[in-house]
């Protein structure tokens, strides 16, 4: 029994054979946006007929990815395997009306038929007298099956080129194109938005709808995604699944925004669109016909914009959730953590980039031999001695993130004139400080970093590093 079509009903119907990849995520997003734009319904159907690969774990991965992306569904998840009875009933109906028949022809028989009638002709079979064999749908010899596509326009397929195609095996188990059409009919799906790799399946599904006497949905076939090299998107282009993007520190809102723009545009130059704006403006017929390019560098840029526009409280909470996974949820000084987030908010483009930048606030300096050899030479020992004296002279009031007088302003006032006074470039002065307190050449701003680390720890690390800096004789021996 099919559902009466009262308003837009779309569906996302993934095959659970692995993680949800970016192309599938875009298909899900477009269906979700269309449903929310029209006040319709978004149905989740799991096409799990591949019993070997359609595992519960793979289904769970897809549901997890959709939930993390914020794509809620109104109905489902519905198992295609669980609809076997409905498929069998529809199959029996077509056999009774003569729209389908059992045919015991082998692959060689079909080949011989085409040799006699022409290779460009679709095979036309004869019902087997003993009622055995695969079940085929009768395809008319004349006319065309026309796909009225919302994106591509009218696409015509000559019927004579199609075989009477198999819709069920000899044991009655149905094949993909039949099951999909029956499911879409029974669920009252009004629009099918999917990748254009399914376009070749559509005429067969339309013929099933016609045989069932049911009006088909409208179709919108979305061009596939490519990588920056112009080739079909794959793992070689970087993160390929939603879970990989999540683990790399991307935000759901940024992914929704970026992925929505892969083929669709709002009609102006606006690139940062809230989910509410996407819902208000999205229409499947506005999707372009050309393949869009997934470029993770552009996604990183957009993600960075989203991170910078967060309030500090939201930013800190979001980063903390990600860092807890990195650190095992260990206790951290909350005041120092919040200040650390504040000083990297303009620098980090993904959540994954934050912890390496602020880790020095909670752990000893990392051991980066390359950074040490590059920076800790020449005037480094003299510079660190001067820095140590200047920092020790800062007034020990209760100001600063550690309540020890080390504020960004007081540290900057003390250190900023030093390069000119020593006749050295800024890098020759500030990079030794950075390596001394963090172990590496990459950190937040140097004044912010020293203030965040605080008086006691900064002075201790700078003194320790100064004593380790090789003198001229040691450098000569190393050379």
């Amino acid at each position: 029994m099919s559902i009466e079509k009262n308003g837009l009903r779309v569906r996302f119907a993934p095959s659970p054979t692995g993680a949800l990849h970016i192309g599938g995520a875009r298909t899900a997003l477009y269906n979700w946006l269309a449903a929310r734009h029209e006040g319709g319904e978004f149905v989740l159907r799991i096409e799990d007929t591949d019993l070997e690969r359609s595992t519960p774990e793979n289904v769970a991965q897809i549901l997890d990815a959709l939930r993390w992306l914020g794509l809620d569904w109104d109905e489902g998840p519905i198992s295609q395997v669980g609809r076997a009875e409905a498929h069998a009933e529809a199959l029996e109906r077509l056999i009774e009306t003569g729209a389908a028949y059992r045919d015991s022809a082998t692959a060689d028989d079909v080949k011989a038929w085409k040799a006699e009638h022409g290779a460009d002709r679709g095979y036309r079979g004869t019902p087997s007298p003993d009622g055995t064999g695969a079940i085929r749908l009768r395809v008319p010899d004349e006319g065309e099956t026309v796909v009225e596509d919302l994106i591509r326009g009218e696409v015509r397929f000559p019927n004579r080129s199609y075989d009477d195609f198999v819709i069920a095996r000899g044991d009655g188990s149905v094949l993909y194109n039949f099951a999909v059409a029956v499911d879409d009919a029974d669920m009252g799906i009004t629009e099918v938005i999917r990748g254009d790799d399914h376009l070749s399946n559509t005429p067969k599904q339309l013929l099933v709808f016609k045989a069932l006497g049911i009006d088909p949905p409208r179709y919108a076939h979305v061009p596939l995604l490519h990588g920056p090299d112009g080739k079909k998107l794959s793992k070689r282009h970087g993160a390929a699944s939603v879970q990989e993007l999540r683990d790399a520190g991307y935000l759901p809102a940024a992914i929704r925004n970026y992925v929505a723009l892969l083929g669709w545009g709002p009609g102006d130059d606006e690139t940062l669109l809230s989910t509410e704006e996407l819902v208000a403006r999205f229409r499947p017929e506005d999707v372009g016909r050309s393949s869009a390019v997934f470029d993770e560098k552009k996604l990183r840029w957009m993600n960075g914009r989203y991170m910078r526009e967060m309030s500090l409280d939201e930013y800190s909470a979001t980063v903390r959730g990600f860092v807890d996974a990195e650190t095992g949820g260990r206790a951290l000084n909350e005041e120092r953590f919040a200040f650390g987030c504040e000083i990297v908010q303009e620098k980090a483009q993904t959540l994954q980039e934050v912890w390496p930048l602020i880790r020095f606030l909670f752990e000893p300096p990392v051991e980066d031999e390359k950074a040490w050899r590059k920076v800790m030479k020449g005037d480094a020992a003299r510079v660190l001695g001067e820095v140590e004296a200047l920092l020790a002279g800062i007034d020990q009031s209760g100001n600063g993130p550690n309540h020890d007088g080390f504020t960004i302003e007081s540290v900057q006032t003390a250190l900023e004139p030093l390069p000119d006074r020593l006749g050295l470039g800024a890098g020759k002065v500030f990079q030794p400080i950075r390596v001394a307190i963090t172990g590496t050449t990459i950190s937040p701003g140097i004044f912010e970093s020293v203030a965040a680390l605080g008086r006691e720890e900064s002075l201790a690390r700078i003194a320790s590093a100064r004593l380790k800096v090789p003198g001229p004789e040691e450098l000569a021996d190393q050379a």
Side-chain angles (χ1 to χ4, degrees):
M1 181 68 69
S2 61
I3 296 173
E4 187 176 350
K5 299 178 181 179
N6 292 321
L8 183 77
R9 277 176 66 85
V10 295
R11 47 78 163 178
F12 177 54
S15 298
T17 55
L20 181 62
H21 288 249
I22 295 302
R26 183 184 63 163
T27 299
L29 175 63
Y30 281 1
N31 278 280
W32 184 85
L33 289 173
R36 297 298 173 255
H37 177 82
E38 295 288 344
E41 294 179 319
F42 177 47
V43 179
L44 178 59
R45 186 171 77 224
I46 305 297
E47 296 187 344
D48 50 1
T49 52
D50 184 342
L51 298 180
E52 288 187 8
R53 300 175 66 195
S54 299
T55 64
E57 292 77 15
N58 286 339
V59 173
Q61 281 194 82
I62 290 173
L63 300 184
D64 174 57
L66 292 175
R67 289 188 181 108
W68 183 77
L69 284 173
L71 306 183
D72 57 322
W73 51 91
D74 303 299
E75 189 176 319
I78 299 167
S79 164
Q80 192 170 64
V81 167
R83 288 186 38 78
E85 186 176 337
H87 299 152
E89 290 175 0
L91 199 62
E92 189 60 34
R93 207 156 65 238
L94 294 185
I95 293 174
E96 287 177 357
T97 62
Y101 62 95
R102 284 192 177 271
D103 181 10
S104 57
T106 64
D108 287 340
D109 293 333
V110 173
K111 187 176 180 181
W113 189 97
K114 291 193 174 188
E116 179 182 348
H117 294 83
D120 62 336
R121 284 288 312 280
Y123 168 75
R124 300 292 180 261
T126 304
S128 57
D130 59 359
T132 60
I135 301 173
R136 293 180 180 272
L137 187 79
R138 293 189 188 279
V139 177
D141 287 320
E142 304 301 324
E144 298 174 312
T145 297
V146 181
V147 180
E148 301 282 356
D149 195 273
L150 293 172
I151 296 170
R152 295 177 169 274
E154 197 175 80
V155 186
R156 294 178 173 273
F157 298 87
N159 291 330
R160 74 188 306 273
S161 65
Y162 279 90
D163 294 342
D164 283 0
F165 58 93
V166 176
I167 57 176
R169 302 176 184 90
D171 63 4
S173 58
V174 298
L175 299 187
Y176 172 79
N177 284 308
F178 180 77
V180 167
V182 172
D183 290 345
D184 285 343
D186 286 354
M187 296 175 190
I189 301 302
T190 60
E191 284 187 13
V192 173
I193 305 169
R194 59 187 179 184
D196 65 4
D197 53 334
H198 286 283
L199 181 59
S200 61
N201 292 322
T202 308
K204 293 182 178 180
Q205 292 167 20
L206 288 173
L207 288 166
V208 172
F209 273 103
K210 185 175 182 181
L212 291 170
I214 297 174
D215 291 336
R218 298 196 303 169
Y219 291 89
H221 288 94
V222 179
L224 299 181
L225 295 179
H226 287 180
D229 58 2
K231 296 180 180 179
K232 184 179 176 181
L233 188 66
S234 67
K235 280 186 174 292
R236 70 174 178 274
H237 296 109
S241 74
V242 172
Q243 277 86 352
E244 286 171 326
L245 290 176
R246 177 180 64 188
D247 294 345
Y250 290 95
L251 302 172
I255 294 175
R256 288 194 299 268
N257 188 164
Y258 179 72
V259 171
L261 297 176
L262 294 177
W264 171 84
D268 53 32
D269 293 331
E270 192 66 39
T271 54
L272 293 178
L273 296 167
S274 69
T275 300
E276 292 74 20
E277 289 174 304
L278 292 174
V279 167
R281 302 174 73 171
F282 180 80
R283 298 190 315 157
E285 51 266 48
D286 294 333
V287 175
R289 297 185 183 186
S290 301
S291 294
V293 173
F294 174 81
D295 186 342
E296 193 172 348
K297 290 181 180 178
K298 293 181 179 179
L299 173 59
R300 287 184 75 253
W301 170 84
M302 183 172 286
N303 199 74
R305 287 288 303 271
Y306 269 80
M307 288 176 64
R308 288 191 288 277
E309 291 184 8
M310 287 179 165
S311 69
L312 181 58
D313 286 345
E314 183 185 8
Y315 184 89
S316 298
T318 304
V319 170
R320 185 58 189 267
F322 192 86
V323 167
D324 280 347
E326 297 268 316
T327 64
R330 78 179 193 206
L332 299 172
N333 180 302
E334 295 299 333
E335 191 171 1
R336 179 175 284 190
F337 183 82
F339 189 76
C341 287
E342 182 178 358
I343 64 177
V344 298
Q345 189 168 6
E346 293 296 319
K347 191 176 183 73
Q349 290 189 297
T350 69
L351 298 175
Q352 191 179 58
E353 294 177 3
V354 176
W355 179 244
L357 289 171
I358 66 173
R359 178 171 48 199
F360 76 96
L361 298 174
F362 309 96
E363 297 178 0
V366 297
E367 295 183 6
D368 186 338
E369 293 183 6
K370 184 178 178 181
W372 188 273
R373 286 196 303 270
K374 179 180 178 182
V375 173
M376 297 307 219
K377 58 186 179 181
D379 292 305
R382 180 167 69 99
V383 166
L384 292 178
E386 295 281 349
V387 168
E388 195 177 348
L390 290 170
L391 292 179
I394 292 177
D395 178 51
Q396 298 186 41
S397 65
N399 296 326
N402 297 284
H403 310 291
D404 57 4
F406 270 37
T407 65
I408 296 173
E409 294 75 16
S410 66
V411 171
Q412 182 173 358
T413 299
L415 298 183
E416 194 169 41
L418 191 56
D420 287 342
R421 185 158 67 81
L422 296 179
L424 297 171
K428 295 288 187 180
V429 173
F430 298 137
Q431 283 295 70
I433 305 172
R434 182 170 279 113
V435 173
I437 66 173
T438 71
T440 184
T441 56
I442 300 172
S443 78
I446 192 61
F447 308 133
E448 291 84 351
S449 296
V450 172
L453 188 59
R455 175 187 298 272
E456 182 178 350
E457 191 63 28
S458 292
L459 290 173
R461 293 185 186 187
I462 290 169
S464 176
R466 176 173 55 78
L467 296 175
K468 294 177 184 176
V469 175
E473 294 180 359
E474 293 173 281
L475 287 172
D477 290 341
Q478 292 176 10

